[in-house]
Amino acid sequence: MSFPESLQNTFLPQEIQFIVENEPIKILPRITTRQRKQYRQGSNYDPDSKNSHPIKPWRLITTNDYNVNNMIAMKSTELPLWMAVLLKEQKKCNIIAPNWITVSNLDKYIDFELKNPMKFSSLPWNWLVIACILFTKAPDDLTDPIHLLKSRCQDLREIRLAKVQNGLAILNESHLQLDNLSLMEINEIRPYATKISDMFKNLHKNTAAGLGEDYDMHMDTSEPGASFNMTQNP
Amino acid sequence: MYGDLSNKLILEAKRAKQLRETSTSLASQLTPYQETFVRNILKEVEQLKQNAIFLHEEIVNETDPMQLKMKKCQYYVNFFAMERNKRCLLAYHKDRSDTMDSLCWDQQNLILNGGNGNKGNKHDATTLDNNNNNDDNDNDNNSNNIDNETFDINNLSHEEQVYIREYSKLITSLNGDEFADIDLNGSLVPPSEVFIDVRVLKDAGEIQTEYGVFNLIKDSQFFVRQSDVERLIQQGYLKKI
């Protein structure tokens, strides 16, 4: 098919990264793109007459381009992550790491994770991807030594993974609560969890229908979890 | 028993599917068409149909209610056997057509090797130029018969050969008019880097892309824009580093 089967039900990790790269992030630009007054006066931009405007303002189709055209060196501004990474690669900006990527903050998250075995700490939904991008693309912009941060992130990931695995034990036919689980982590368990809970659902529907007066297996008479809940203790 | 034959056909389809999932080579993507199985199943269906006609006449003429019940039961069982054969045949063919569809989408210039491979009969090689409007690869590049882009068209039944041609024509027309700006056959992995390093794996001479000329000498390395060379990477000339 036009869309390969492996992609039909879930995202690739690269696609997750693509989604996350649209998020804004703070940077310290090293270049100034704000134009001086005399250029800005004729603000009705006309692409045909290049002579009247020696510097063409950039235009972005995908995002708001106001910040891109108004960067002042060493004044922090917000850009989409993909743009920040692009500028960072050319050494035209420094990325300001988000608050949570510091040793002390990560330690707090780890503490929370350890004290609450039934909960996930409130890391941002994209923490894995952001951490990965920052560690590879902008290691010099982080405030703490990178090996400490990396080990903290690894710890967090392992603790959370263990919790996810525990949580899969209570997979059932009606619902699953995954507060504060990040997109990447959800993506990892998606194929498994949805498939199993679909199976539970079918099983539940069929048993409930078979036990009632109605022997027609195809008829959906039961509401999930309404009367007879066999899947709770298999 | 009726239906045993279709069971074998389905097992065959399953085996082909497993092969598809485990191996990446194009040759294993489509296993030979199971002509004999299909013929035998059709024969069985024909026989079942004769039965049905006979039973139908019996039912119409029957007066004894007990006998009528029995005849009706026979008629239904007969009908279900037919139904089962139909399901199996359809499943097998749908599986194959899905595979053919994905082949058409994956391979930019799918070369259907018409002649028997061992005879080296290159005159029969049919080229399906899915994308010639997008890429200026001249034709002798396509007929170079790169190993991983050919597969034996004899694996397909005649109807399937017609189908695959028509389907790739459909894709071309879709690429042609409405979405000419977007390369629908292109890579589905989101772009992450604008410029990449590529290494040339196979000598290909001078290749003209939309954005300029490359001289592809084996083992040379280039630093190029990803969108320029995406097609060449898919065809196996270049390797991304």
Side-chain angles (χ1 to χ4, degrees), chain A residues 1-4 7 14-15 18, chain B residues 98 101-102 105 188-190 194:
Chain A
M1 246 173 287
S2 57
F3 212 44
L7 296 180
Q14 290 101 314
E15 287 173 306
F18 188 76
Chain B
D98 278 352
D101 292 356
S102 57
W105 279 102
L188 287 173
V189 178
V194 187

Side-chain angles (χ1 to χ4, degrees), chain B residues 157-175:
Chain B
S157 71
H158 176 67
E159 285 80 9
E160 285 173 333
Q161 291 174 20
V162 175
Y163 171 81
I164 203 171
R165 287 223 171 81
E166 292 293 321
Y167 191 78
S168 51
K169 258 186 225 159
L170 261 184
I171 294 177
T172 321
S173 67
L174 189 67
N175 267 338

